[in-house]
Amino acid sequence: MKRKGIVFLFVLLTASFITICDFSYRSGQKGAYMPLERELTSQDFYIEEGFNQEPHSAQRHSTILWDTLFQRNTKEYRQNRSFYGSPPSITHPISKEMSMGGKDCLQCHKYGGFVEKWKAYTPISPHPEMVNCRQCHVPQKSQKLFKKTHFVRGSAPESKRALLGSPPSIPHSLQMRTNCLSCHAGPSAPKEISVTHPERMHCRQCHTVNRNQGSAGNFFKRNNP
Amino acid sequence: MGNLNASRRNFVKKMAALSAMTTATALFPGILFAETQRNNASTTGTLDWKKAPCRFCGVGCGVLIGIENGKAVAVKGDPNSPVNKGLCCVKGYHSIIALYGKDRLTHPLVKKNGSYVQTTMQEALDLIASKMQKTITDYGKDAVSIYGSGQWTIPDGYVASKLFKGCIGTNNVEANARLCMASAVTGFLTSFGLDEPMGCYEDIDHADIFVLWGNNMAEMHPVLFSRLLDQRLKRGAKIIDLTTRTTRTSKAADNSILFRPQTDLALANAICYELVKKGWVHRSFVEKHCSFRKGLTDMGYGLEDNYQFKDRPKKINYKDYQQFLEGYAPEKVTQLTGVSEKDIRYLATCYGDPNKKVMSFWCMGMNQHTRGTWINNLVYNIHLLTGKISTPGNSPFSLTGQPSACGTVREVGTLTHKLPHGVVMNKTHREHAAKIWGVPVENIPSKPTYHTVEMFRALDRGDIRFMWIQVTNPMVTMPKLKRYRDAAKKEQRFIVVSDVYPTPTTDIADVILPSAMWIEREGLYGNSERRTQYFEQMIPAPGEAMSDTWQMIEVAKRMGFEKQFSYQKETHIEEIYKEYTRHHEGKKHAMPPLSILKSQAGAQWPFVNGKSTQWRFNAQYDSACSNGEAFHFYGKPDGKAVIWQRPYEPAPEVPDKEFDFWLCTGRVLEHWHTGSMTRRIPVLHKAMPKAYVEVHPKDAKRLQIQTGDLVLLTSRRGTIQLPASVNERGIPEMGQVFVPFFDEDMLINELTLDAFCPISKQPDYKKCAVKVQKA
């Protein structure tokens, strides 16, 4: 009985060995064929930095419904920013004070989605690779001030058109904001700055940065130029 | 498969659109794209971006400040700065708001019959000069003092040193960096003979392992921590957090190892024991470039007035050192440190693996330590034994907490024993300084007087009668606060405070001078990596506010030192910087010229042949190396770095039956130091409105405390009440509590102990015994 059991075990092991080998060989073959398939995706044509991380988001944007009922406007968008271009503060309570973004914040802020509790769409981070979120984004636990302030926000720069009918320029700096669609497309984008043609993807072919805002430059992410 | 098909179809569609657009451009030249449009687009508004180093911590991020109609309205990270590469933290982004608090001090105030009366700047400066003169006549030179800060710009510190040491003739010059970086300085001096890190931030881009020694970098140096996280994402670098309290850094780290307070000394020695035992010592490096020494032990803790200590180093050999390490075998220290043998061996492997580049980081955890100099020495030992030093990616890196702790306090030398170049005890150094200052060499006393704690004790005793406090808030930050606050309030003491907002320190002042802050004046800061950065005046200062530099120049002129302070108002910063750089001439510390600093995001000294030096003591990068070897530790006469035999010694006050908790104090991400600036920034104050005491969940349960409950903290020196925080920002170990010190309404320093490291004289804010009760 015992011997039979051992033989059976060996047979089983051999069989599974063959199955696994076969499977891995086949999937290896598949893998080898993949590049051809990959060439046919649009990934390689995206030039902007943000898109390389989320190659399919543009396509997703072209297919999903925009829920205009719960869309923000720029007034609401600016409410949790001290000045134009400052990191927005966090408008909802946070349960974990110690956590890093990858495990917590980005669960919602990477892809977005509707939050029933707040009746709002989650804004998508244009720089999900930076995970120490709370380094720049802080909650607002109290509404009281320590001392009053004279600080007034400057005026928001406007988007200009070079000629009548030419594409509007980008009024803000691109630092950490190279992924245009995270703020300009989808249901979490403020109405006024939602783009009508997110599927075109290569935004900066037509829209350029205002001269005094500079380019994304030697951007933080490129540590070893 | 369906998906693929869909995306293929999509792709074809998009390609069609794309090619249509391309054709369109070719066919209709009137259509504008990219560059053409960029050049025609008008610039919006009148926003003007100007570069400056950040006002807050010692990282020294480059920021760009948007100026509109004479006001600072926006901030962004400077993408051209090699420090932060365009990223800032929440404090930096909102820093400009700190300029516009409604209660900004704009006119001088003089105390008359218990209340403050507004006066003019001229009158206030006259009063200060005459009071100073009178104090000198009545009580002698050593009765006047200045207490400055690592937030002093380089010119501020320089004129302070020149006025007090060179002209008045007293060494009563101290700065709050004594509370913050003194142990780092003495650590560098004892191990290498020269202050400040040999490496730089670029080491981060090369290192494989980062070991953080008691350093909650995710909150305190967030921009650098993001650079570590970035390297982990890109290259798989590892982050190891050595800590006494679980923090955001611990959560982000690959490995978080907890140790008991003060036992880092034993832990570091245990790592060295393992390195020696496993044969991971870099023999040829140690033989060529290191010597071994031991110093005095059982030094005491400086708790008594007029405490004196002078170390007497003795040469030892490798055998002696090896024998000393025997006492620190992992199995022997695991009980003491609370770190498992496995973890100690793991740490030793990290440092010992010859194929791994290691960077160690530390800040207040190691510096605010009654054996601060020792623990600094011990971490250098690890790097020296393994030869992992002064090469890209191999770097023991001492971080700083103030924008110019390095630039002003350590390089200009605004400490009692220091001169811009060298120390007061050295005759050649005194002659060098006197010559540049244009004063007789006899003016500079050869004996140091009081370090910070002792300076305030002298104020209490009456040895010091006049104190000028600039850019710092000692009535929040001094340990054992009550004694020093009472001292300052005593009769026959005259206190001048230069600041930008009312603080608990201005409350004790006889004269309050309004200062011009940061970009309201011209100045220079020096950050942790030996980088000097310049900023121009971008906006006018409010009211009569005047830069600290010019306040001191005005007073110096009134005291009869016109000759030494004959700077022109328009060009004085440039003149002072030029004069200052003369002190540092030579390959070991040459400073970059101002023209370079104006054109780029700073430069690192030694600045030789038009180039910054990124790695000192390495012949490949540092032109001051002259021994023909790969490395030259030229700070020591024999060209060798010192491996120190430093034992473990306990803390002066440990928890007992009555006071049964360790108290640790520190910062939080949102606030910087005493919060006098950051609390006036609405977004930061709303995020972190008040201080709290962190308690371990089990202790909290035992004491029936929940988050928000009021807790009574009592030490032998005082009592305060503050809300509890359980399982929030940080979790201290059982039997320990943590309180941030930014809140002037809950002064935790009423409780702390004024014990200090006998070598560096830096107080330990991280360890004392307290009692915890539910209020």
Side-chain angles (χ1 to χ4, degrees), chain A residues 7-31:
Chain A
V7 169
F8 177 71
L9 191 73
F10 270 94
V11 169
L12 197 73
L13 275 174
T14 320
S16 49
F17 177 74
I18 289 165
T19 322
I20 289 167
C21 279
D22 179 55
F23 177 73
S24 84
Y25 174 74
R26 272 163 201 269
S27 37
Q29 287 281 306
K30 258 190 207 166

Side-chain angles (χ1 to χ4, degrees), chain B residues 287-304:
Chain B
E287 272 162 30
K288 261 191 210 156
H289 305 296
C290 302
S291 66
F292 293 85
R293 281 196 172 79
K294 72 171 181 183
L296 295 180
T297 56
D298 210 1
M299 309 182 281
Y301 302 98
L303 282 161
E304 55 285 355

Side-chain angles (χ1 to χ4, degrees), chain B residues 397-553:
Chain B
F397 202 97
S398 160
L399 293 162
T400 57
Q402 297 191 83
S404 203
C406 282
T408 305
V409 181
R410 294 160 72 173
E411 290 159 30
V412 177
T414 56
L415 295 167
T416 182
H417 63 289
K418 280 276 294 166
L419 285 169
H421 183 84
V423 289
V424 295
M425 295 81 89
N426 185 311
K427 190 158 175 271
T428 342
H429 294 167
R430 285 202 304 277
E431 282 165 354
H432 182 64
K435 201 174 134 211
I436 298 170
W437 283 343
V439 297
V441 66
E442 304 77 50
N443 267 24
I444 309 171
S446 60
K447 261 184 79 174
T449 50
Y450 309 110
H451 55 83
T452 297
V453 173
E454 201 55 39
M455 190 185 257
F456 280 89
R457 286 176 184 171
L459 186 72
D460 186 17
R461 292 193 301 264
D463 298 338
I464 286 180
R465 297 286 173 152
F466 175 99
M467 190 186 272
W468 191 347
I469 299 168
Q470 288 195 328
V471 228
T472 184
N473 197 358
M475 292 304 118
V476 177
T477 54
M478 284 302 289
K480 198 178 173 179
L481 191 53
K482 188 173 180 301
R483 174 175 180 194
Y484 304 115
R485 189 176 45 234
D486 291 348
K489 283 183 183 163
K490 277 189 177 168
E491 292 293 311
Q492 305 295 319
R493 308 285 189 282
F494 197 83
I495 314 274
V496 180
V497 177
S498 304
D499 213 327
V500 296
Y501 287 112
T503 64
T505 305
T506 58
D507 288 349
I508 57 143
D510 293 283
V511 177
I512 302 172
L513 290 181
S515 289
M517 177 183 162
W518 193 29
I519 51 169
E520 292 165 353
R521 50 158 305 170
E522 192 184 2
L524 297 115
Y525 285 150
N527 80 352
S528 309
E529 58 160 0
R530 294 175 278 111
R531 179 178 300 278
T532 308
Q533 304 192 72
Y534 168 84
F535 53 97
E536 60 183 296
Q537 181 180 355
M538 301 178 197
I539 50 172
E544 278 193 276
M546 185 187 275
S547 78
D548 296 325
T549 307
W550 200 254
Q551 290 172 14
M552 283 184 280
I553 291 174

Side-chain angles (χ1 to χ4, degrees), chain A:
Chain A
M1 214 34 216
K2 202 176 173 186
R3 193 172 296 165
K4 266 188 192 163
I6 289 167
V7 169
F8 177 71
L9 191 73
F10 270 94
V11 169
L12 197 73
L13 275 174
T14 320
S16 49
F17 177 74
I18 289 165
T19 322
I20 289 167
C21 279
D22 179 55
F23 177 73
S24 84
Y25 174 74
R26 272 163 201 269
S27 37
Q29 287 281 306
K30 258 190 207 166
Y33 183 66
M34 279 307 273
L36 257 182
E37 293 270 348
R38 209 182 70 80
E39 265 174 40
L40 289 173
T41 70
S42 41
Q43 192 172 330
D44 301 328
F45 291 88
Y46 297 133
I47 294 169
E48 274 148 60
E49 219 172 337
F51 291 105
N52 282 326
Q53 285 145 13
E54 292 303 323
H56 297 294
S57 70
Q59 285 157 24
R60 217 175 52 232
H61 280 302
S62 62
T63 54
I64 55 172
L65 267 170
W66 286 21
D67 186 349
T68 47
L69 192 61
F70 295 105
Q71 214 176 355
R72 292 184 292 171
N73 57 37
T74 40
K75 202 182 154 210
E76 288 165 306
Y77 177 82
R78 283 179 195 148
Q79 242 160 23
N80 60 335
R81 286 159 171 83
S82 297
F83 53 84
Y84 188 86
S86 80
S89 55
I90 303 169
T91 51
H92 56 82
I94 297 168
S95 54
K96 291 181 193 161
E97 271 287 339
M98 254 196 287
S99 60
M100 279 282 146
K103 289 174 200 143
D104 291 282
C105 315
L106 287 174
Q107 297 296 320
C108 299
H109 290 282
K110 193 164 183 183
Y111 297 108
F114 188 70
V115 183
E116 186 59 43
K117 194 174 170 190
W118 313 115
K119 295 271 184 272
Y121 283 90
T122 316
I124 298 165
S125 168
H127 41 253
E129 72 289 350
M130 294 180 161
V131 294
N132 193 6
C133 310
R134 306 270 307 269
Q135 165 180 342
C136 303
H137 305 283
V138 292
Q140 302 290 275
K141 292 179 180 168
S142 141
Q143 278 312 309
K144 279 191 203 136
L145 293 183
F146 178 64
K147 296 283 155 113
K148 285 188 182 139
T149 180
H150 282 303
F151 180 77
V152 278
R153 18 173 131 202
S155 49
E158 282 168 52
S159 182
K160 301 267 175 162
R161 292 173 197 265
L163 294 171
L164 201 70
S166 60
S169 63
I170 304 170
H172 58 76
S173 117
L174 291 181
Q175 253 166 266
M176 279 179 279
R177 278 173 279 184
T178 42
N179 188 353
C180 311
L181 294 188
S182 61
C183 301
H184 291 282
S188 66
K191 274 177 208 157
E192 297 88 335
I193 60 166
S194 283
V195 66
T196 54
H197 45 271
E199 73 286 353
R200 287 198 197 155
M201 302 164 293
H202 187 190
C203 315
R204 278 150 70 194
Q205 177 173 1
C206 306
H207 304 279
T208 58
V209 182
N210 281 3
R211 239 178 309 173
N212 70 337
Q213 289 292 348
S215 67
N218 173 18
F219 192 56
F220 179 75
K221 287 190 307 194
R222 294 188 208 126
N223 245 344
N224 296 311

